Amino acid sequence: MRIIDSLDFIDTVEDGVFVTHEKSDKRYPLHQHQKGQLTYVEGGITYVTVDNITYVVPARYFFWIPSGVPHILKLSHSATVLRSLYFYTNDDDKSPFYNELGIYAASDLVIEMIAYTERWHDLMVDPQTPNFEFLQALKNILPSSINKNMQLQLPISDNPRMVKITDYLDIHFGKQLTLADISDKFNLSERSVSRLFQAELQVPFLQYLKALRIVKAIELLMKTEQSISEIANTVGYVTLGSFSNAFREFTGIRPLEMRNKREG
């Protein structure tokens, strides 16, 4: 059963856990459910959009979406497997973790426990079954098994002028672009472009460009065999050191660590 086909079933047993494991490269339109969603990304990259902000979730990371939060999912590659569990919410007040959107590097324990749940693929596990205690234990360890919440994000906008600029940046992110370059390209003053970024995306131009470059770098780390130096050059960094520092600023880890996660 595909995730999108499961939406009407996910909330049918209030105190149950629905389990699904799916390989896909599809986009799931805006939807929501009354259960908290734990999804582990195995291979590739997944993009989660909430409130017009797109968050990047690399392989060997998991994300948590609280109950009732509308979201869009997009998978970048046909080899990507989403291992998802939709949890009851009657104990969510035990930790702030359950009420916040979060993206986390998955520990070996969490990965193994989530993989084990594949035996209940497309099943609703309720408190009357022995399996429920295992799923309950998995939910309970999440707040104590996580490290930094990695929220690498790209805000989006429906403003036509903003869309043209961000589409251009999505193609030319590797060039040494400045605010003046964008202003000349789109026949706007630098002040107008700066105001447009602040008003529509709530970030300065250079901060958006840095985030976009790191997103592109993650895609290359996960999908290609390019060296880290080659990736740094491709996404617009002159030195490996400046690229590595920027990467760590956004993700909390070095590029080599993320490459190792793909290979792990």
Side-chain angles (χ1 to χ4, degrees):
M1 187 184 299
R2 297 185 309 148
I3 294 174
I4 198 66
D5 298 325
S6 307
L7 293 179
D8 291 337
F9 185 63
I10 288 171
D11 294 327
T12 54
V13 180
E14 184 176 349
D15 56 355
V17 182
F18 180 70
V19 181
T20 184
H21 298 255
E22 178 182 8
K23 179 185 291 186
S24 180
D25 60 353
K26 301 187 184 304
R27 179 181 185 273
Y28 300 96
L30 187 68
H31 63 281
Q32 67 185 84
H33 31 75
Q34 295 310 306
K35 284 186 163 65
Q37 177 177 347
L38 166 66
T39 295
Y40 172 66
V41 179
E42 187 173 288
I45 301 173
T46 297
Y47 302 92
V48 182
T49 301
V50 176
D51 291 335
N52 286 329
I53 296 177
T54 296
Y55 300 87
V56 182
V57 190
R60 296 181 67 85
Y61 278 69
F62 71 85
F63 59 87
W64 176 268
I65 300 177
S67 165
V69 174
H71 55 280
I72 298 169
L73 295 181
K74 180 182 177 182
L75 284 67
S76 66
H77 195 277
S78 59
T80 299
V81 176
L82 292 188
R83 303 189 180 276
S84 299
L85 296 91
Y86 298 83
F87 282 96
Y88 50 87
T89 61
N90 52 26
D91 63 350
D92 281 2
D93 58 351
K94 292 195 303 186
S95 171
F97 170 90
Y98 302 116
N99 298 298
E100 299 173 357
L101 175 69
I103 300 164
Y104 309 95
S107 67
D108 290 342
L109 174 61
V110 168
I111 292 173
E112 290 176 9
M113 292 184 75
I114 292 175
Y116 187 82
T117 69
E118 189 167 9
R119 64 194 58 205
W120 305 309
H121 172 57
D122 276 352
L123 295 178
M124 179 72 75
V125 182
D126 63 44
Q128 282 67 52
T129 64
N131 304 329
F132 183 79
E133 292 184 358
F134 180 88
L135 298 176
Q136 191 176 44
L138 173 56
K139 182 182 181 183
N140 288 342
I141 70 168
L142 290 177
S144 60
S145 68
I146 59 174
N147 47 28
K148 181 180 178 182
N149 184 349
M150 188 196 81
Q151 291 203 0
L152 175 56
Q153 53 186 259
L154 277 180
I156 56 178
S157 168
D158 294 329
N159 181 294
R161 290 191 301 172
M162 192 77 261
V163 169
K164 288 181 180 179
I165 294 173
T166 53
D167 284 351
Y168 179 82
L169 293 175
D170 193 65
I171 298 172
H172 301 284
F173 60 88
K175 295 182 177 180
Q176 298 304 310
L177 297 171
T178 65
L179 188 62
D181 294 329
I182 300 302
S183 300
D184 291 342
K185 173 68 180 177
F186 292 96
N187 297 314
L188 296 167
S189 69
E190 290 185 36
R191 188 176 184 182
S192 294
V193 174
S194 181
R195 284 181 171 177
L196 193 60
F197 270 86
Q198 290 288 2
E200 293 296 326
L201 304 182
Q202 289 76 55
V203 295
F205 162 74
L206 286 178
Q207 186 72 2
Y208 178 87
L209 182 58
K210 285 176 67 176
L212 176 62
R213 286 172 168 166
I214 299 304
V215 169
K216 298 297 185 181
I218 290 175
E219 292 177 351
L220 292 171
L221 284 166
M222 292 294 171
K223 296 180 182 179
T224 75
E225 299 304 321
Q226 288 186 31
S227 70
I228 293 175
S229 294
E230 289 172 329
I231 292 172
N233 182 258
T234 299
V235 301
Y237 283 87
V238 177
T239 69
L240 180 58
S242 59
F243 167 64
S244 183
N245 289 337
F247 195 93
R248 186 177 185 183
E249 174 190 342
F250 280 91
T251 67
I253 61 175
R254 298 290 183 183
L256 181 59
E257 294 178 74
M258 186 163 288
R259 170 63 60 83
N260 290 340
K261 284 181 178 294
R262 181 194 74 172
E263 297 171 353

